[in-house]
Amino acid sequence: MQPSAVPELAHTHARPIHWVATATALAGVVALSSVLGPDAATAAAPAPGPQTKSAPAHIAPPDPAAVEFPLECGPVKAVVKKKASGDLDGDGRPETVAVVHCDAPMGTPPDGVYVLTRAAGGVPRVVATLADPKDRTNVDDFAVRDGEVTAVLFGYSSADVPSCCPDVREGVKWHWENGMFVRSAPSGARTV
């Protein structure tokens, strides 16, 4: 066996300069790896056979402020009282349901309930009227859940009932069926 020219285990007594050199080298490797890291991941060509359809990218629901509602308000503007969004027709894109009335200076103007969607150019438009203001109803407890629109409508049993005091209360819901909105009364609906 040949004797070593350096004393046994000479490298086990690290000096401070060794630690500084090691730390500098390690910092350099980390910095260089972030600059020279791998390219961005790319998708491979799909394999033949059945494919799964991914969910569409998040699409913003239609904005009621960008729509002209089919209301005759005369000199006052239409006001969006309430709004809610959800996918009502199952196409993966949200619709907006808006409760709208004329901004009358006195009294309680009747509400309309409208469904909005985006046209091909992305511009919101009214596609359905669920409750027409001509029916003289006011909307309360309005919500969009699980593809259904629910509301409580307050109305009048006859033209003799004063506008201040609706005497009919009806719980209703609308859901998309066979290309149109169908109105029904949820369980527990009642008339006052």
Side-chain angles (χ1 to χ4, degrees), residues 56-125:
H58 176 70
I59 301 170
D63 182 8
V67 173
E68 189 166 326
F69 293 96
L71 284 171
E72 297 293 330
C73 290
V76 298
K77 298 186 307 184
V79 174
V80 176
K81 178 175 151 182
K82 297 177 182 180
K83 66 179 181 175
S85 298
D87 182 8
L88 299 175
D89 57 4
D91 66 353
R93 294 177 300 192
E95 287 77 30
T96 297
V97 182
V99 178
V100 183
H101 64 251
C102 295
D103 192 14
M106 294 176 21
T108 306
D111 295 321
V113 180
Y114 302 99
V115 178
L116 313 175
T117 190
R118 290 195 183 279
V123 178
R125 65 184 177 99

Side-chain angles (χ1 to χ4, degrees), residues 26-70:
L26 184 59
V29 168
V30 169
L32 193 57
S33 69
S34 66
V35 173
L36 300 176
D39 292 336
T42 57
Q51 301 292 317
T52 58
K53 185 177 179 182
S54 63
H58 176 70
I59 301 170
D63 182 8
V67 173
E68 189 166 326
F69 293 96

